[in-house]
Amino acid sequence: MERRELLRLLATAGALPLLSPLARAAGATDNWQAQFEAADAPWKIGFVTPPGDLPLTRATVRGRFPDAVAGTLFRVGPAGHDLGGERYHHWFDGDGMAHRFVIEGTNVRHQGRYVATAKRVAEVKAGRHLTEAFGTILPGVEPPTSADAINVANTSVLPMQGEVLALWEGGSATRLDARTLDTLGVKTWRADLAGMPFSAHPKVDPDGTVWNFGVSASQSLLALYEIGPDGALRRAAVVPVPELPMIHDFAVTARHLVFLMPPLVYDGKRKEAGASFLDAHVWRPELGMRALVVDKQNWDKRQLLELPAGFLFHVGNAWEENTPRGARIHIDYVRTPNAESVFTSNREIMRARRVRLNEPHLTVATLDLGTGQATQRELPLEAEFPRIDPRRVGLRHRQVVHATQTRADVPGFGAVALTDIETGRSQRFSYGAQAIAEEHVFVPDGTKPGWVLGTALDFARQRTVLSCFAADHLAAGPVAQATLPYALPLGLHGAFVRA
């Protein structure tokens, strides 16, 4: 089949197949909202639905934010968890709310706005949920007509050419005005690519080139994108990948795109029987963790290697070295033995229940393209949301910023850490027993060590705080901290743009 025809099929179907009539009628009376409201977990404030947009508000600042972090931290995450008395059954289902923290020394201002996707606009107008979601099928919903009909734009952001793209897994990127967070509509890279999945973790090379992918699980097709520093599409194509699994993140090196593919594979029969898109996936450990390596210049040159079965959401970085036999790729990622968390932990928090399963650990894998062998070592360090110095994307690096420190009675993580992945040495700052650390990013500062910038939910005080740390003295605590007069919903990913 010609690539243009594959592109057309992928755009038409989107990443999510349509519901069957059985699925559309399924579901008993929902009581998750009542269970959430009755729960006494103090951390549940991180999963409360804001009734509306949050106007530009000044934070209380302690200390002074360094000149290198003068700019804007953009973030996004699920926020619209319930509507009309019905609550989603999965954290990832909530309508996205975009945030911007404007940082100017001792002055920090915050604004939050729901991303006005077609889905959200229609449902708010109706006063109820209208379509299925990633992990929830509520009674009375209709099948989606396309992936963008259920696009929640809640996972990550990509600043580009004066705009910010709010990203989701299965459909188009959504354009936001970087100064106001106004929703400007979906991003169409090319007419024949309209509606194609554009995933939530694009990678930006040091020269500004943007790489991304999209997954159509029902068709086992992987879409690939190359976008120039000017924001113009250079190439897009789809490649068939047998038993293509759920892929959330990937990595780039100087010469390759690297996809770690956990054995969580789509089963169309489950979907036909009425399962949600998430529950239509099956854990097949016999497949192992397949590593797909694609040549950046020639996407037809692909190689598969195998690691032990495991699951991941996020990748830190990858880099490659030349050997007499060929390239050897090193990639660090956050690994769990299986996918229990996506099915259970991230569901139960929607009714304010903490379920502790296998915790993720920072893991470093080596993919030897010359021998076809793959190995890995797991560091004894709980981790999530790995980020690196953006100048080192695809290049050799050592430091990874990440969340760490799980607790038995609180979901998420209690600390931020900076870890040397070669030595395993790590320094951390704990936010305390009554706080949840979100993703922190690394902000370069010329030849200096740089800064670590990120948010945390202080659920005891019902406040969100923005903190800045010296990267070489992270354990000493924040050099500056801005406290909002309210708590934000716990979010996912962000990006910093210098003023």
Side-chain angles (χ1 to χ4, degrees):
M1 187 179 294
E2 292 295 325
R3 276 186 172 168
R4 190 163 292 272
E5 175 64 9
L6 288 173
L7 289 171
R8 186 191 66 78
L9 288 173
L10 188 54
T12 301
L16 306 181
L18 299 183
L19 277 173
S20 67
L22 174 62
R24 194 162 61 243
T29 301
D30 178 69
N31 66 349
W32 282 51
Q33 182 65 23
Q35 293 176 49
F36 180 81
E37 292 174 354
D40 60 3
W43 49 261
K44 76 177 187 180
I45 192 172
F47 303 96
V48 170
T49 297
D53 294 343
L54 303 171
L56 194 63
T57 301
R58 188 182 299 272
T60 300
V61 175
R62 178 176 57 82
R64 185 183 189 280
F65 285 82
D67 291 342
V69 299
T72 304
L73 176 66
F74 294 98
R75 285 183 51 75
V76 74
H81 299 298
D82 57 80
L83 183 64
E86 288 188 318
R87 186 168 180 84
Y88 281 132
H89 300 181
H90 201 286
W91 183 29
F92 299 165
D93 291 340
D95 289 329
M97 175 175 272
H99 305 271
R100 65 184 186 108
F101 293 83
V102 182
I103 306 167
E104 301 168 326
T106 59
N107 182 15
V108 174
R109 292 164 294 157
H110 166 265
Q111 180 187 18
R113 296 189 69 176
Y114 279 104
V115 183
T117 61
K119 169 196 176 295
R120 177 165 177 82
V121 170
E123 291 188 334
V124 169
K125 182 178 181 180
R128 65 180 183 90
H129 295 299
L130 300 175
T131 59
E132 76 157 307
F134 168 75
T136 310
I137 302 178
L138 292 169
V141 298
E142 294 295 324
T145 55
S146 68
D148 277 345
I150 56 174
N151 188 338
V152 285
N154 70 0
T155 310
S156 191
V157 292
L158 175 64
M160 178 177 285
Q161 299 297 305
E163 296 181 346
V164 175
L165 301 183
L167 307 177
W168 180 57
E169 293 296 279
S172 304
T174 302
R175 298 167 51 228
L176 306 180
D177 186 302
R179 297 168 300 172
T180 65
L181 299 182
D182 285 344
T183 300
L184 304 176
V186 298
K187 175 69 175 180
T188 300
W189 299 101
R190 200 173 63 205
D192 61 315
L193 303 180
M196 277 186 60
F198 187 83
S199 200
H201 285 284
K203 303 301 178 188
V204 184
D205 276 341
D207 70 357
T209 300
V210 178
W211 304 88
N212 204 7
F213 70 98
V215 169
S216 177
S218 62
Q219 297 172 297
S220 282
L221 295 175
L222 179 68
L224 301 175
Y225 299 86
E226 181 186 359
I227 300 162
D230 61 354
L233 181 74
R234 287 176 177 167
R235 283 188 295 168
V238 294
V239 297
V241 179
E243 296 178 298
L244 181 65
M246 186 181 294
I247 304 175
H248 179 73
D249 198 357
F250 78 126
V252 298
T253 69
R255 295 184 295 165
H256 294 94
L257 313 177
V258 186
F259 300 87
L260 297 182
M261 304 193 299
L264 187 61
V265 180
Y266 179 79
D267 182 347
K269 292 182 179 178
R270 289 195 174 201
K271 196 74 186 73
E272 292 171 4
S276 69
F277 178 71
L278 170 61
D279 294 307
H281 285 77
V282 181
W283 184 251
R284 294 183 52 192
E286 71 276 9
L287 294 176
M289 173 87 79
R290 292 171 294 159
L292 174 65
V293 181
V294 182
D295 188 287
K296 272 184 171 180
Q297 300 302 316
N298 182 357
W299 292 345
D300 290 328
K301 292 178 63 176
R302 303 187 292 273
Q303 186 172 348
L304 272 176
L305 300 88
E306 187 173 325
L307 289 161
F311 182 74
L312 78 153
F313 280 121
H314 300 120
V315 173
N317 190 42
W319 60 279
E320 64 184 79
E321 60 181 334
N322 292 320
T323 74
R325 293 186 175 184
R328 182 181 295 147
I329 294 173
H330 304 271
I331 180 170
D332 51 90
Y333 72 105
V334 176
R335 179 184 184 274
T336 54
N338 54 52
E340 287 180 338
S341 63
V342 70
F343 287 98
T344 304
S345 301
N346 289 318
R347 270 200 165 115
E348 290 302 312
I349 56 176
M350 285 293 95
R351 41 185 169 186
R353 296 178 180 176
R354 162 65 165 142
V355 176
R356 188 171 185 176
L357 298 169
N358 295 306
E359 305 297 357
H361 285 77
L362 198 57
T363 301
V364 182
T366 299
L367 313 176
D368 193 319
L369 303 189
T371 65
Q373 299 299 306
T375 59
Q376 68 182 17
R377 61 183 176 91
E378 183 175 284
L379 303 180
L381 190 67
E382 294 171 343
E384 247 307 351
F385 301 127
R387 297 295 296 265
I388 67 158
D389 183 335
R391 298 171 299 184
R392 305 304 303 169
V393 170
L395 306 176
R396 186 168 187 172
H397 69 297
R398 293 185 64 166
Q399 293 184 329
V400 176
V401 177
H402 58 91
T404 191
Q405 191 182 83
T406 58
R407 284 82 45 96
D409 57 343
V410 179
F413 300 84
V416 59
L418 184 71
T419 298
D420 186 317
I421 57 170
E422 293 189 6
T423 66
R425 294 174 185 158
S426 185
Q427 56 169 315
R428 70 173 61 183
F429 172 79
S430 175
Y431 280 98
Q434 294 182 299
I436 299 174
E438 299 187 276
E439 179 190 67
H440 287 55
V441 300
F442 185 95
V443 180
D445 188 1
T447 59
K448 298 176 183 178
W451 306 94
V452 174
L453 183 67
T455 51
L457 171 66
D458 183 336
F459 57 81
R461 294 192 296 157
Q462 299 190 2
R463 300 286 188 267
T464 291
V465 296
L466 171 70
S467 302
C468 180
F469 305 83
D472 55 341
H473 296 290
L474 187 143
V479 299
Q481 190 170 74
T483 302
L484 298 180
Y486 42 75
L488 299 177
L490 287 166
L492 292 171
H493 302 288
F496 175 76
V497 177
R498 193 181 300 273

